Each structure stands twice: as structure tokens, then as C-alpha cells.
Amino acid sequence: MARWVTERDRRLAALDLEKAKATSDIGIKGGIQRFDQGDDTAFILGLSIPIPLFNRNQGNIREAIYRLAKTEQEHKAAKIQVAAAVADAVPRLSSSSSEITALREEVLPAAQSTFDAAREGYEQGKFGYLDVLDAQRTLFEVRGKYIEALATHHKARADVERLIGRSLESLNGQTEAKNQLGANYHGE
């Protein structure tokens, strides 16, 4: 977003330059002239004031105005793209956080205890080896899902931080984080 401020300033400077080119420069000339007949010398002074009847640089001024307007429209489009990206990343961050919590606090412990019980039951002769392998496969699948959820969470977090231009830790409290995300979503 900071790039657009610089680009707008550059376009405004180009417009000012084209407007300055539209005004003509007044010229003053002076000098000494010697006449061949009679050894006379004279001081000559000249003043030129161009009258811009035909070339007032209107085409270049219009072009600069259109480029400035184009830059402002591109800036608005960039704001909308950022808002859409934030609107996409924030729900991914929230859902991945919920998924991580559920996997870590409920599913992983349950899968681990099932595997431990199956292994202990196998050692006591209550379960077959396939039951232990099935419990182990389930535990590994849950761990894989947990790792995938962590990766999704960290990617979504990095996307949100990139879009808002600061780390989430730098925002004071959850309420301020939500307000900041809402402000960025609305293009402020």
C-alpha cells in the first residue's frame, strides 16, 4: 500500500511539470552593436514574450491527468485485493486454530490411548497384531492431520501478518487484533 503513495506523488509531480511546460518563458536579450559606417556603437535590448496560441501543452497535461487517475484507480483496486485476501486468510487462521486445539486436546490423546491399550492388550493376548497395527495407523494419521493443521495455521498467520503489515503479537489483545483486521478489511 505504501508503494501507491509514492506512485501518486510521482504522478502529481509529472502533472505539475506538464503544467509548467505550458507557460512560456519570457526572454531578455541584450548586447552591443557596432555600426560599420561612422564607428558608432549602440546598446541593444530585446524582450520576447511568446504568446501560446497553438501549443499550450494540453495533450501532455491531459495525459498526466489520466495517468494520475489511473494510479488512483489502481490504488483502489489494490485495497480491494488486500481486503479480499484478508477476508480469505482470517477465517483460515481461525478454523485452523480450532482444528489444532481439537486435535491436540481430544483426538491425539484418544488415538494415543487407543494405541497404548491395543499394544497392552496384544501383550496380554487379548488383541491380535492387526488390531495393534490398525490403532498405530490411526495414531499416525491423526498426527499427520495435526501437522497439516499446524502448517495451514502458520501459513494463514503469515498471510494475515503480511497483509496487515505487522505481527499479530504486536496487536494488544484479541479485541484490538479483531479491530485491526476489520479496519484493514475495510481498506483503512
Side-chain angles (χ1 to χ4, degrees), residues 37-99:
Q37 302 168 349
D39 273 344
D40 288 335
T41 49
F43 182 73
I44 299 175
L45 184 63
L47 179 66
S48 66
I49 303 174
I51 301 173
L53 294 176
F54 300 107
N55 183 11
R56 292 181 296 181
N57 206 25
Q58 289 178 340
N60 290 336
I61 291 172
R62 271 200 195 120
E63 180 182 1
I65 290 170
Y66 290 143
R67 285 185 183 193
L68 177 62
K70 178 183 174 191
T71 299
E72 290 178 358
Q73 291 302 318
E74 287 172 346
H75 182 217
K76 287 179 185 177
K79 278 184 176 180
I80 291 169
Q81 286 176 340
V82 168
V86 168
D88 180 51
V90 169
R92 280 189 294 124
L93 180 63
S94 178
S95 68
S96 65
S97 180
S98 299
E99 183 179 7

Side-chain angles (χ1 to χ4, degrees), residues 19-163:
K19 285 180 178 178
K21 287 180 182 177
T23 58
S24 302
D25 293 333
I26 298 173
I28 299 175
K29 298 178 184 178
I32 299 175
Q33 183 177 7
R34 283 178 52 125
F35 296 105
D36 290 335
Q37 302 168 349
D39 273 344
D40 288 335
T41 49
F43 182 73
I44 299 175
L45 184 63
L47 179 66
S48 66
I49 303 174
I51 301 173
L53 294 176
F54 300 107
N55 183 11
R56 292 181 296 181
N57 206 25
Q58 289 178 340
N60 290 336
I61 291 172
R62 271 200 195 120
E63 180 182 1
I65 290 170
Y66 290 143
R67 285 185 183 193
L68 177 62
K70 178 183 174 191
T71 299
E72 290 178 358
Q73 291 302 318
E74 287 172 346
H75 182 217
K76 287 179 185 177
K79 278 184 176 180
I80 291 169
Q81 286 176 340
V82 168
V86 168
D88 180 51
V90 169
R92 280 189 294 124
L93 180 63
S94 178
S95 68
S96 65
S97 180
S98 299
E99 183 179 7
I100 287 170
T101 302
L103 286 170
R104 182 180 55 233
E105 294 177 1
E106 297 172 14
V107 179
L108 268 173
Q112 183 68 49
S113 67
T114 302
F115 172 69
D116 292 341
R119 189 177 62 202
E120 188 177 316
Y122 172 73
E123 289 172 358
Q124 293 176 1
K126 294 180 182 176
F127 297 117
Y129 189 65
L130 289 177
D131 295 328
V132 175
L133 288 178
D134 188 40
Q136 184 182 32
R137 180 184 52 80
T138 302
L139 176 63
F140 289 162
E141 285 176 358
V142 169
R143 285 181 180 167
K145 286 181 182 179
Y146 180 69
I147 291 170
E148 287 175 15
L150 283 173
T152 301
H153 176 76
H154 288 295
K155 184 179 180 322
R157 181 184 180 103
D159 287 344
V160 168
E161 288 176 345
R162 176 182 52 85
L163 291 167

